[in-house]
Amino acid sequence: QWIYDEYYPKYTYDYGQDGEFNTVLGILQTQGDNGWRSVFEMPIDVKFEFTDGTETTVVVQNDVIFQTFNFEFTKEISSVTIDPDNWILKNVIPGDLELSVDENILGNHLVFYPNPVNNILNVSAKEMISSVSISNVLGQVIYHLDEDVFEAAIEMSRYAKGTYFVKIRVGDDTVTKKIIKE
């Protein structure tokens, strides 16, 4: 698509893995400049290298600005490379999402980023999120979303700098995470 359009995709990615080697990969795609297209839709090769010296390459279809992909491996990952053969004209920044994979709810693959947050806190899950609430350190609820969604982008710029607690309900599971607002 960028052959015909201006600019190029920029990828920021991170991954998390629990003790059972369930893995979530988050990819955030933006453009290198402000073009008219919000996302370049394309398959992306992702190479996983493991601590035992083996590797595997999978292809994911990137078609939205932020996506999470779930994998079940049987060993620990040592590194991840996006587009290892350099087929895509791109800019890749590893590890800047500060992706959090909650091991207590990993079956639902709950992901939130960034933490610390400045403007937008992104929350996504493999299963439906039924509610999200944010409380300050006094326990006062300052934000509440009570609708079924797979992802939520929460505007945090209006809140003061400090510590907050995000309570997320997915299915029968509830997770509370501490976040820092900068």
Side-chain angles (χ1 to χ4, degrees):
Q1 293 167 349
W2 68 93
I3 294 171
Y4 305 106
D5 296 337
E6 296 182 78
Y7 311 111
Y8 58 90
K10 175 182 173 186
Y11 299 101
T12 305
Y13 72 96
D14 204 352
Y15 72 95
Q17 192 171 40
D18 72 359
E20 296 178 5
F21 309 115
N22 295 309
T23 304
V24 63
L25 170 69
I27 298 177
L28 174 67
Q29 184 196 134
T30 55
Q31 289 191 32
D33 241 324
N34 294 327
W36 66 271
R37 180 182 302 279
S38 62
V39 65
F40 290 103
E41 298 177 18
M42 70 186 85
I44 302 172
D45 290 351
V46 180
K47 181 171 135 183
F48 293 93
E49 295 181 62
F50 301 97
T51 56
D52 67 357
T54 60
E55 63 185 47
T56 189
T57 300
V58 298
V59 179
V60 297
Q61 180 63 33
N62 183 220
D63 53 15
V64 295
I65 292 173
F66 176 72
Q67 281 180 281
T68 57
F69 303 95
N70 303 299
F71 306 95
E72 293 181 11
F73 295 120
T74 57
K75 44 195 159 187
E76 185 178 356
I77 296 171
S78 60
S79 69
V80 175
T81 305
I82 302 292
D83 187 33
D85 296 321
N86 294 313
W87 287 100
I88 305 171
L89 174 63
K90 67 192 180 309
N91 184 6
V92 177
I93 303 168
D96 276 6
L97 290 180
E98 297 192 32
L99 193 66
S100 175
V101 180
D102 193 295
E103 293 181 20
N104 296 327
I105 197 169
L106 191 60
N108 295 323
H109 300 285
L110 175 66
V111 179
F112 74 97
Y113 74 96
N115 190 15
V117 61
N118 286 318
N119 297 318
I120 304 289
L121 177 66
N122 295 286
V123 179
S124 67
K126 182 179 176 183
E127 294 182 22
M128 192 72 69
I129 299 170
S130 56
S131 69
V132 178
S133 63
I134 300 176
S135 303
N136 61 22
V137 292
L138 301 174
Q140 300 165 322
V141 176
I142 60 165
Y143 174 87
H144 186 75
L145 172 69
D146 195 20
E147 60 184 68
D148 293 336
V149 295
F150 285 103
E151 3 182 280
I154 303 166
E155 177 61 54
M156 296 291 294
S157 62
R158 69 180 133 225
Y159 303 118
K161 293 179 181 181
T163 302
Y164 294 89
F165 298 94
V166 181
K167 185 175 179 180
I168 304 160
R169 184 169 182 79
V170 177
D172 294 330
D173 298 315
T174 301
V175 172
T176 302
K177 292 296 230 172
K178 180 173 85 170
I179 61 167
I180 305 298
K181 166 67 172 79
E182 292 185 335

